């Protein structure tokens, strides 16, 4: 007779989360996750989640420790004394090949040289030791706003830096949770999945070809939007504050992979177009360049429900083409020793 195991002990008793915020960014993802409820960060670190090993969080924005007391966790992780740990990277990764005698971003000081330890160097030191690496927010995942055309730092996302085929020592690919900032529950749910996986309690995380969790980024904004009924009826807002579909004001929802209208922002409330803001595609690899200027109506946006019904198949095919284009990063985001963003110094 088959027996059902009611409770399985995790393979490991303690897990560390080493969270770098020293990419180019605003720390907005760290702030965002403090609003998570499914699960909350407090539930994860205080042991309220059944079956989860003890979790220690080392995040400079949320830590009580400062200075050497805080930095010691980084050096322990580097020496292999913090095993296992999940590395979270927040912020765009600058290209230090291009920083000349200075540096773009750093944390801590190298005792031997007296020089700052760059963000690139920290990733090089810690990535081989981590059981899993997660990019938090669009800057870390694909480059984001800092990686726009014409930027001087040549910055990029994690997979551009480490390689799209990169695997951790546990065989896990990079996990990308984009969003500007990241939707709090999307991030915490993904982190929880990975913590269970590291503990040997969950199967391989399902990711799409942009390394996003499939169950979170498999649908478009439009498919979950509260205003979808208006779209279907051909009722469009002509100015902000009106309740109808926002497509004529520039909403990119039909071709953007994001669950925010379905999930809301905090406690199920909010979600850009639901509450009156156009979708600007902030979760997409092509953000922001391919969505500029934000207020321009996206291609094919004037097709109403009547048109959709008659030409549904054609519209879907056209949308798929647009979506594929937006799901591709611009060519200038790379880890090579050349700046191809089009930046022109003023002198
Ligand atoms: S507001 Fe945007 S996402 Fe919502 S129905 Fe209109 S086009 Fe679709
Ligand atoms: S709905 Fe659009 S703008 Fe809002 S979080 Fe999702 S991708 Fe970003």
């Amino acid at each position: 007779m088959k027996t059902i195991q009611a409770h399985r002990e995790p393979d490991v008793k303690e897990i560390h989360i080493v969270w770098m915020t020293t990419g180019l960014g605003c720390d907005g993802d760290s702030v965002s996750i403090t609003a998570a409820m499914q699960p909350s960060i407090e539930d994860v670190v205080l042991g309220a989640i059944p079956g989860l090993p003890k979790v220690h969080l080392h995040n400079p924005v949320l830590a009580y420790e400062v200075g050497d007391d805080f930095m010691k966790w980084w050096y322990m992780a580097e020496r292999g004394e913090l095993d296992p740990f999940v590395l979270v990277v927040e912020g765009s990764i600058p290209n230090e090949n291009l920083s000349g005698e200075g540096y773009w971003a750093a944390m801590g000081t190298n005792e031997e040289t007296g020089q700052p330890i760059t963000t690139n160097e920290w990733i090089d030191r810690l990535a081989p030791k981590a059981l899993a690496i997660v990019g938090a927010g669009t800057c870390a995942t694909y480059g984001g706003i800092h990686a726009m055309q014409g930027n001087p730092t040549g910055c990029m996302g994690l997979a551009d830096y480490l390689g799209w085929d990169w695997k951790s020592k546990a065989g896990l690919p990079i996990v990308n949770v984009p969003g500007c900032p990241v939707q709090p529950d999307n991030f915490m749910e993904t982190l929880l999945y990975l913590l269970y996986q590291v503990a040997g309690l969950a199967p391989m995380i399902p990711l799409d070809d942009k390394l996003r969790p499939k169950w979170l980024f498999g649908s478009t904004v439009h498919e979950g939007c509260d205003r979808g009924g208006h779209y279907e009826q051909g009722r469009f807002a002509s100015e902000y504050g009106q309740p109808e579909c926002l497509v004529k004001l520039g909403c990119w929802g039909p071709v953007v992979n994001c669950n925010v209208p379905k999930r809301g922002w905090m406690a199920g409330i909010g979600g850009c177009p639901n509450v009156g803001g156009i979708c600007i595609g902030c979760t997409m690899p092509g953000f922001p360049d391919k969505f500029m200027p934000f207020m321009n109506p996206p291609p094919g946006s004037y097709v109403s429900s009547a048109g959709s019904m008659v030409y549904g198949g054609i519209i879907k095919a056209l949308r798929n083409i647009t979506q594929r284009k937006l799901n591709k990063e611009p060519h200038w985001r790379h880890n090579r020793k050349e700046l191809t963003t089009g930046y022109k110094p003023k002198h």
Side-chain angles (χ1 to χ4, degrees):
M1 200 176 85
K2 207 173 167 187
T3 50
I4 296 171
Q5 205 174 2
H7 176 69
R8 206 188 124 188
E9 284 297 314
D11 294 347
V12 294
K13 300 279 180 236
E14 299 192 23
I15 301 181
H16 294 261
I17 300 168
V18 177
W19 188 312
M20 297 176 56
T21 59
T22 48
L24 307 180
C26 64
D27 293 352
D29 304 297
S30 287
V31 174
S32 179
I33 59 122
T34 61
M37 299 175 79
Q38 294 172 331
S40 71
I41 190 81
E42 294 90 337
D43 282 350
V44 170
V45 297
L46 295 175
I49 311 281
L52 206 63
K54 174 87 188 120
V55 174
H56 304 275
L57 174 68
H58 310 289
N59 171 314
V61 179
L62 304 174
Y64 288 106
E65 306 125 311
V66 291
D68 290 345
D69 288 340
F70 177 73
M71 286 306 301
K72 74 176 181 215
W73 302 108
W74 262 250
Y75 297 113
M76 285 172 72
E78 185 191 356
R79 291 195 299 265
E81 295 166 12
L82 218 62
D83 195 38
F85 74 92
V86 173
L87 179 64
V88 179
V89 177
E90 179 175 347
S92 196
I93 322 295
N95 189 339
E96 293 293 350
N97 292 316
L98 309 172
S99 55
E101 289 178 6
Y103 65 95
W104 299 121
M107 180 173 66
T109 307
N110 185 321
E111 279 183 8
E112 281 168 25
T113 62
Q115 295 298 311
I117 305 171
T118 65
T119 296
N120 286 198
E121 203 176 333
W122 274 120
I123 295 173
D124 296 343
R125 291 182 187 192
L126 299 185
K129 306 277 169 61
L131 242 63
I133 299 192
V134 196
T138 302
C139 296
T141 52
Y142 306 126
I145 288 173
H146 319 272
M148 280 179 79
Q149 187 166 30
N151 82 78
T153 66
C155 61
M156 67 200 98
L158 255 181
D160 303 317
Y161 184 77
L162 289 172
W164 283 84
D165 296 329
W166 185 90
K167 296 275 189 309
S168 75
K169 67 178 187 179
L172 276 160
I174 294 166
V175 177
N176 282 336
V177 193
C180 190
V182 71
Q183 201 279 354
D185 292 317
N186 277 354
F187 185 80
M188 286 307 297
E189 192 176 297
T190 306
L191 187 63
L192 181 64
Y193 191 110
L194 284 170
L195 292 173
Y196 272 131
Q197 201 181 329
V198 169
L201 297 173
M204 180 58 99
I205 186 164
L207 304 176
D208 67 16
D209 66 342
K210 298 294 170 266
L211 305 176
R212 299 170 289 207
K214 277 186 180 172
W215 76 94
L216 298 174
F217 293 92
S219 299
T220 63
V221 170
H222 188 68
E223 282 160 343
C225 179
D226 283 356
R227 298 177 190 240
H230 288 290
Y231 181 95
E232 290 308 313
Q233 308 278 336
R235 294 198 296 254
F236 304 109
S238 55
E239 56 184 76
Y240 285 99
Q242 295 173 343
E244 294 89 359
C245 167
L246 303 170
V247 76
K248 290 189 180 177
L249 297 177
C251 181
W252 285 82
V255 285
V256 168
N257 297 79
C258 173
N259 66 349
V260 158
K262 248 188 195 150
R263 185 158 223 174
W265 200 259
M266 284 170 67
I269 298 166
C272 312
N274 290 353
V275 287
I278 59 167
C279 170
I280 56 171
C282 77
T283 57
M284 298 293 270
F287 177 81
D289 300 79
K290 293 185 184 176
F291 297 86
M292 300 290 273
F294 290 135
M295 302 307 178
N296 271 7
S301 62
Y302 292 102
V303 178
S304 70
S305 66
S308 298
M309 273 186 257
V310 179
Y311 302 111
I314 303 168
I315 297 304
K316 192 160 180 279
L318 288 174
R319 276 191 189 157
N320 285 346
I321 294 168
T322 310
Q323 201 172 9
R324 271 203 298 279
K325 229 175 91 189
L326 301 174
N327 259 320
K328 204 161 174 271
E329 281 185 31
H331 61 84
W332 58 81
R333 297 180 192 166
H334 55 72
N335 196 9
R336 300 196 302 271
K337 292 186 177 171
E338 54 176 340
L339 185 64
T340 56
T341 62
Y343 171 69
K344 290 191 182 66
K346 289 217 171 89
H347 47 82

